Amino acid sequence: MKALVLGGTGFIGRRLVANLLSGGHEVALATSGKSTNPFGNKVSTITVDRFSGESLSRAFSGDGYYDVAFDTIGYRSIDVKNSLDALDGKTGKYVYISSAAVYAGSSGVLTEDHFDPAKLENSESGLEKTYHEGKQVSEAYIVRNASVPYAIARFPNVMGYDDSTMRFQEHISRLMNGEEFHFQEPEGRRNCVWVEDAGKFLEWLGTTANEGIFNGACPDALKASGFIGKMAEALGTNPRLTYGGEKSNSRYSAITDFILSVKKAEERGFRFHETSEWIGKEARRAREYGKASPNSPEYASKLFP
C-alpha cells in the first residue's frame, strides 16, 4: 500500500509513519521542511505549505496516486477542503485527525454520537475562530463532501515525552522542581491517549476497511491529580497537591467528567493501553529528554491565538 502523510514529522505523525513502515507500506511525507525527517531514505518527501491551497494543488498536480492519505495537521475547514481538492482522484481513502474538542460543552461518557457533524449548522464558512470550531466544521466538511471513503479519529490529550504542546514536559518539570499543583473540587475525570497508540490507531484506520468516526483513547479515566500521582510515582517524587478554590493550575484538569468511550473501536478489534501501562515510561523519558520538543511548531496555537 502507498500512503501519503500530511505532517509526518510531527508528534503523532512520526509514530504513524513508523507504524506504516513497519507494516511494509510505501510512505510519502508531505512536510514544510521545518522539522527534521527522522526516516531518511525510507520515505519519499514532498515539500508543501499545508495551509496554502495553491501549494497543495501544485504539489499534487502530477500523476501520483496514494491508496490512503493521512491528514495529521488539518485545523480549519478551508485546510481540509484544499487537501481534498488537491487529492481529488489521487487517493482511495482519507484519514483525518480530529479532536475530543468537538464535544465542547458536553460532559460524562461521550460516544461518537454525542457530536454528529452532519447536523452542524453554519458549517461551511471557513472562518472558524477557535480550535474546537475548526475541528467541528472540518469534520462536517469531510462528511458532506469527501468523494472517497474516510475515517476520522477523535483524540483527547495526546501524551508522550516529546509532546509538541509541552503540556507533558511542563508537568514533569514541575514535579522535579517540587512545585505545587492546585485543583478545584470536585475534580472531574478524563481519559487521554498514549501517542504510540495514536500512531497505531491511525495506521489501523488507514490500512483496514474501517470507515467513519472513531474515538481513540485509553479505556480508563483519571482525575488530573491521578495522572500527576502516576507521573510522580515513576519519578520517585512526592507530589505537592492542594485542593479548593476556583482555579486549577494543571492543563489536564477538568471540572466535570469528560471521558471518551472507545467501545466502538474495541468492538472492531483495536486495543488501547491503559494509562498505567505507559505513563511511567514516558515520565522517565521526559525527565531524561528535558523540556525540548523535536516537533514542528504547534500550528493550532498560531491559527487560533
Side-chain angles (χ1 to χ4, degrees), residues 20-197:
L20 288 166
L21 292 173
S22 294
H25 303 293
E26 183 180 346
V27 180
L29 299 186
T31 173
S32 66
K34 294 178 182 178
S35 297
T36 301
N37 167 19
F39 304 102
N41 60 10
K42 294 179 181 178
V43 300
S44 59
T45 57
I46 302 166
T47 302
V48 64
D49 180 353
R50 169 66 182 80
F51 304 105
S52 164
E54 181 181 350
S55 178
L56 285 163
S57 295
R58 194 165 52 242
F60 301 110
S61 60
D63 297 329
Y65 181 85
Y66 306 95
D67 298 289
V68 57
F70 296 89
D71 189 347
T72 74
I73 51 171
Y75 298 109
R76 305 168 300 182
S77 59
I78 187 63
D79 304 324
V80 169
K81 177 184 184 302
N82 288 338
S83 295
L84 289 172
D85 287 349
L87 293 168
D88 187 31
K90 299 182 184 300
T91 188
K93 188 174 185 179
Y94 182 73
V95 179
Y96 176 69
I97 292 186
S98 187
S99 168
V102 300
Y103 300 119
S106 299
S107 61
V109 178
L110 304 169
T111 67
E112 290 81 357
D113 293 337
H114 275 82
F115 172 66
D116 183 353
K119 296 179 180 178
L120 186 67
E121 298 180 0
N122 303 319
S123 61
E124 296 189 21
S125 68
L127 300 175
E128 305 92 337
K129 296 189 182 340
T130 63
Y131 177 77
H132 82 264
E133 289 176 342
K135 290 297 187 181
Q136 287 178 335
V137 183
S138 292
E139 284 195 16
Y141 189 88
I142 294 166
V143 168
R144 293 170 180 170
N145 298 282
S147 60
V148 295
Y150 64 84
I152 295 172
R154 292 174 178 167
F155 293 133
N157 285 137
V158 183
M159 290 192 185
Y161 78 96
D162 52 343
D163 181 2
S164 58
T165 71
M166 302 298 291
R167 281 182 292 242
F168 195 81
Q169 299 94 312
E170 173 200 350
H171 281 71
I172 299 304
S173 177
R174 289 173 62 189
L175 280 168
M176 296 306 298
N177 291 334
E179 297 178 28
E180 180 180 277
F181 289 91
H182 187 77
F183 305 99
Q184 294 172 271
E185 289 187 302
E187 278 191 90
R189 296 174 301 147
R190 65 190 309 163
N191 50 0
C192 61
V193 63
W194 184 24
V195 66
E196 300 294 342
D197 276 353

Side-chain angles (χ1 to χ4, degrees), residues 184-218:
Q184 294 172 271
E185 289 187 302
E187 278 191 90
R189 296 174 301 147
R190 65 190 309 163
N191 50 0
C192 61
V193 63
W194 184 24
V195 66
E196 300 294 342
D197 276 353
K200 290 177 183 177
F201 188 55
L202 291 169
E203 187 264 347
W204 178 77
L205 286 175
T207 59
T208 63
N210 288 289
E211 298 176 24
I213 299 171
F214 293 83
N215 288 337
C218 296

